[in-house]
Amino acid sequence: MHYPEDVKRAAAAATERLGPLPAGAVGLVAGTGLGGIAGKLEHCRDMATGDIPGFPAATAPGHAGRLVYGTMGTACPPGDPQGSIEETMPAAGAGPDGSSRPVALLSGRLHLYEGHSPRDVAFGVRLLAALGVRQLILTNAAGALDPHFTAGGLMRVTDHLNLTGRNPLVGPNDDALGPRFPDMSRAYSPRLGAVADACALSLGLRLERGVYAGVLGPSLETPAETRMLRLLGADAVGMSTVTEVIAARHLGMEVLAVSCLTNVNLPDCMAETTLEAVLATAKRAEGDLARLLAAVIPAV
């Protein structure tokens, strides 16, 4: 893959098919079992990512492989007791009535465990950036490691551990995309995190906060691995997101990530789980996630 030419060609094809992405659009990537969020968008037009030149094919179950343009959201109401919510909710980029925001949604993502290279996995994020997206929201299905978390809950990612052994920036750096050594001290935007926290509070949703461990997969963790991850400081574990975040920060994008906690990994009493169970729990949590995103997106 030859960056940035391939990314530019993909963006041109998407623009030809779907029209120009409105200014101020938020990028959204839907994780395993969470593609139904596309149904919450209004004024949609979409295309298969397989019709975008250079876009690798997604093979993971629960990933539709579509690029969707639409609008979403009603901003969460300002006015919390400390008066802090208004400060995190600029009106810039909202819809003409202040209640919605244009969205470019990737329904389905690529994973390293499918055999894709890190650059392939990052292609969707780089496409969104080429289309004009500057704020990126990533969602994923993850196993909870903190015993205080519950299956079906939501966690805002505050930081991550890249345990995949891969990085999309390995190799010659393309200065047109970003610097050779991008700073990752604030990989997840404190500003967007504050917006998400404020909106969750307004909606009465419990939004945990924690560190996400990104692993290669596709096998699930053993009890010893689960114990190790917890000792390293991880609060949840999954097989996506970190590659995309690294690519997004390389591009200078603001990032927010939210995990749907599909099960709780307790190393001393590990319960077996299956993909079917993960998808079912993600589906149950999808409603709360959609409510949160509908409030967050017009506020960012």
Side-chain angles (χ1 to χ4, degrees):
M1 199 171 291
H2 303 285
Y3 290 94
E5 290 79 10
D6 287 348
V7 175
K8 288 180 179 178
R9 187 160 50 249
T15 300
E16 181 179 3
R17 178 78 170 268
L18 301 178
L21 185 65
V26 174
L28 178 59
V29 179
T32 298
L34 301 173
I37 291 173
K40 308 298 182 183
L41 296 177
E42 298 180 337
H43 312 109
C44 291
R45 51 195 191 277
D46 71 306
M47 67 183 297
T49 54
D51 293 335
I52 299 174
F55 203 113
T59 64
H63 292 264
R66 302 198 72 79
L67 173 64
V68 186
Y69 287 4
T71 60
M72 177 184 270
T74 300
C76 58
D80 71 312
Q82 281 75 44
S84 62
I85 295 181
E86 289 188 8
E87 298 174 5
T88 64
M89 294 177 56
D97 60 356
S99 64
S100 65
R101 187 79 174 268
V103 173
L105 166 67
L106 282 174
S107 181
R109 59 153 49 99
L110 306 174
H111 302 80
L112 295 170
Y113 67 72
E114 297 173 73
H116 295 296
S117 72
R119 282 198 161 197
D120 284 347
V121 172
F123 191 81
V125 167
R126 288 170 170 153
L127 168 61
L128 292 176
L131 291 170
V133 167
R134 303 311 302 158
Q135 285 86 36
L136 178 68
I137 300 177
L138 301 161
T139 70
N140 61 57
L145 299 172
D146 188 323
H148 298 101
F149 292 174
T150 58
L154 303 177
M155 185 192 84
R156 175 169 70 81
V157 179
T158 57
D159 205 343
H160 72 234
L161 295 167
N162 181 9
L163 301 177
T164 67
R166 314 286 179 85
N167 190 303
L169 308 184
V170 168
N173 186 63
D174 190 329
D175 294 335
L177 298 178
R180 169 76 281 187
F181 302 105
D183 180 73
M184 295 292 287
S185 62
R186 292 177 178 82
Y188 300 86
S189 166
R191 185 185 75 84
L192 298 187
V195 172
D197 290 347
C199 289
L201 179 63
S202 295
L203 295 169
L205 291 175
R206 185 177 180 87
L207 181 61
E208 310 287 2
R209 285 175 284 184
V211 175
Y212 176 91
V215 298
L216 182 61
S219 56
L220 301 180
E221 298 73 41
T222 68
E225 290 167 340
T226 299
R227 191 175 292 108
M228 175 196 71
L229 293 172
R230 190 69 181 133
L231 288 171
L232 290 175
D235 299 290
V237 57
M239 303 172 191
S240 67
T241 303
V242 295
T243 301
E244 294 153 311
V245 172
I246 293 168
R249 292 302 299 139
H250 184 236
L251 289 157
M253 302 170 83
E254 268 193 297
V255 176
L256 172 70
V258 180
S259 297
C260 282
L261 304 172
T262 57
N263 58 293
V264 181
N265 294 347
L266 302 175
D268 296 320
C269 52
M270 290 281 281
E272 292 187 10
T273 190
T274 63
L275 174 63
E276 291 74 21
V278 167
L279 292 175
T281 306
K283 184 59 64 178
R284 290 198 303 272
E286 193 174 40
D288 284 344
L289 178 62
R291 288 176 61 209
L292 178 64
L293 295 179
V296 168
I297 285 173
V300 301

